[in-house]
Amino acid sequence: MSSLLELDRVSKCYRHGSLRRETLREVSLELHAGELVVIWGLRRSGRSTLLRIAAGVQTPDRGEVRFQGRKVSGSGALTEGIAYCVPGFHGSASQPVLEELIFSQLALGASPAHARHTAWAVLERVGAARFAELRPYELDSAEAIKASIARALVREPALLLIDEPTSGVELLQRTAIFALLRSLAAEGTAVLASVGDSTGLYGADRVLALSGGDLRGHVTPELAPVLELPLRSSG
């Protein structure tokens, strides 16, 4: 099976005055259609940088990125066929979620009728139809993530890159977010997500750890010990 996305020995270094921090060091990664792959790392581990480089909005210092067999330029423009989500829904404060999705399609040349139909279909697909008329500031964290995913999906991407999909989301709602990503992958859209929380590691086809600039193989999160509580006496 040919790879949808390939990162080939990608390196990225940041410099702040005399300080030098190597964020990515010879990172290689292949992603196939229908896969959900999660990159786990602590804050400032480089996981967001990796996604931006994969999306083509940031240029690596060394190495090459290929999408569908073609080299990604890293010119700053999002590569066609890739959708990139960051935490929250950053739409116009004056426009409801539905209108924001319609407007984003009109800007790409869609007809008004097609844009409205697609926007509703995508909102229903991600479980966001019930807050279609709300504005961004009225959404909670889980709703904002779903709205952001919906706006990405109207582009009909082959690859969805999503940074911190459970950022600020309550623990009980995180499972639903990853179940949505899992279902998108099952339908054929490859998903590459970054997380800093081990609760986002479940349901993925592969989980990779990014630390010290190096991308390592599968990881298994350590679970907290289960404490045996005494049963309350019925007497």
Side-chain angles (χ1 to χ4, degrees), residues 172-184:
L172 294 179
Q173 295 177 305
R174 295 177 188 178
T175 301
I177 297 295
F178 271 90
L180 171 60
L181 298 179
R182 175 68 267 169
S183 67
L184 294 176

Side-chain angles (χ1 to χ4, degrees), residues 158-234:
L159 171 62
L160 172 64
L161 304 173
I162 182 163
D163 197 8
E164 292 280 6
T166 56
S167 176
V169 176
E170 293 181 5
L171 184 61
L172 294 179
Q173 295 177 305
R174 295 177 188 178
T175 301
I177 297 295
F178 271 90
L180 171 60
L181 298 179
R182 175 68 267 169
S183 67
L184 294 176
E187 292 171 3
T189 301
V191 180
L192 180 61
S194 76
V195 300
D197 190 324
S198 62
T199 58
L201 302 183
Y202 303 101
D205 295 302
R206 286 183 287 151
V207 177
L208 308 172
L210 185 60
S211 177
D214 297 320
L215 187 65
R216 299 181 177 88
H218 295 64
V219 298
T220 302
E222 292 184 6
L223 301 179
V226 177
L227 301 179
E228 185 176 347
L229 299 178
L231 296 178
R232 185 168 58 181
S233 173
S234 58

